[in-house]
Amino acid sequence: TMVNSQLPSLNSQLGGSAEGETVVVMTIGGNDMQAAIPAVLFGGDAKADEAIEEMIENFNTIADFFDDSDRFPDGVYVYLANVYEPTDDEGYWPSCFAGIDIGSTMDNLDDANQAIRDFAVDREVAMIDMSGHFKGHGYYNDDPQNPHFDEDDQTLWFANDCIHPNNRGHHELRRLFFDTIDGVALQLE
């Protein structure tokens, strides 16, 4: 919907060009990733590669839109976030993904995040590592056997729907984005 609906809508709202510097934050939705899981589970790596290629193609279209110096004459700063997941790389939690073990798709998620990183480097946009930031704070947050276990902060950052952050997770996203964009880390109280 971003490419076919939101960009044309934004273009018409701009009325030709934007005044001042523009900040763009891009994330791929967890809902989009969850919707791709069945296709990847049953279609294998070929289906995953196809989905990743389509995602990068869309990112390029979006980046081209914001790279237009006539549309954004005062410059654009683009920040692109990768994809987190709620199982701390385990691929299974009983109440997530309809109870299906998606452990076999973890490599595909890693491939998608690498493709996002490569895109960010190629297009010279800032990369925000939501995936790395959230590891250890998914549903295995209190399991010392999980390789991402955070002994100093064993809090869960996900809501019960397996996609969205809870209040703490939203706070951590705010901190991560603020730190990346402004370069000044927020302090916890």
Side-chain angles (χ1 to χ4, degrees):
T1 64
M2 176 71 178
V3 170
N4 297 324
S5 171
Q6 294 173 351
L7 286 183
S9 176
L10 176 59
N11 194 45
S12 68
Q13 291 174 20
L14 289 174
S17 69
E19 285 187 32
E21 295 174 328
T22 302
V23 174
V24 177
V25 177
M26 294 178 13
T27 63
I28 184 166
N31 293 326
D32 297 327
M33 294 304 288
Q34 273 200 353
I37 289 172
V40 172
L41 281 173
F42 299 112
D45 291 340
K47 196 63 167 175
D49 292 344
E50 182 181 308
I52 292 168
E53 284 180 30
E54 183 179 334
M55 173 186 67
I56 297 302
E57 185 178 304
N58 287 337
F59 283 166
N60 274 306
T61 300
I62 295 165
D64 289 345
F65 178 88
F66 288 107
D67 277 347
D68 184 338
S69 60
D70 290 333
R71 188 179 288 128
F72 299 99
D74 297 319
V76 177
Y77 300 92
V78 177
Y79 299 88
L80 174 63
N82 62 5
V83 182
Y84 59 53
E85 63 87 28
T87 70
D88 297 318
D89 284 342
E90 295 289 332
Y92 177 75
W93 186 254
S95 60
C96 294
F97 317 117
I100 298 170
D101 184 341
I102 63 162
S104 64
T105 68
M106 291 294 101
D107 286 342
N108 302 118
L109 180 61
D110 290 344
D111 290 346
N113 280 336
Q114 184 61 50
I116 292 169
R117 178 174 300 286
D118 293 345
F119 168 84
V121 169
D122 290 345
R123 292 304 294 252
E124 297 180 347
V125 301
M127 176 71 199
I128 297 177
D129 186 15
M130 288 192 324
S131 177
H133 192 64
F134 268 66
K135 286 187 191 303
H137 302 287
Y139 293 106
Y140 288 86
N141 63 298
D142 59 356
D143 180 0
Q145 302 304 311
N146 184 277
H148 304 293
F149 178 72
D150 184 347
E151 186 174 316
D152 295 328
D153 183 0
Q154 301 173 31
T155 57
L156 176 66
W157 294 358
F158 284 89
N160 291 333
D161 66 1
C162 302
I163 295 176
H164 298 99
N166 60 18
N167 286 342
R168 174 65 189 275
H170 279 292
H171 172 72
E172 290 301 328
L173 281 176
R174 219 176 12 254
R175 280 183 356 113
L176 178 64
F177 278 72
F178 184 82
D179 185 39
T180 304
I181 293 169
D182 196 45
V184 179
L186 294 178
Q187 300 297 315
L188 290 176
E189 295 187 23

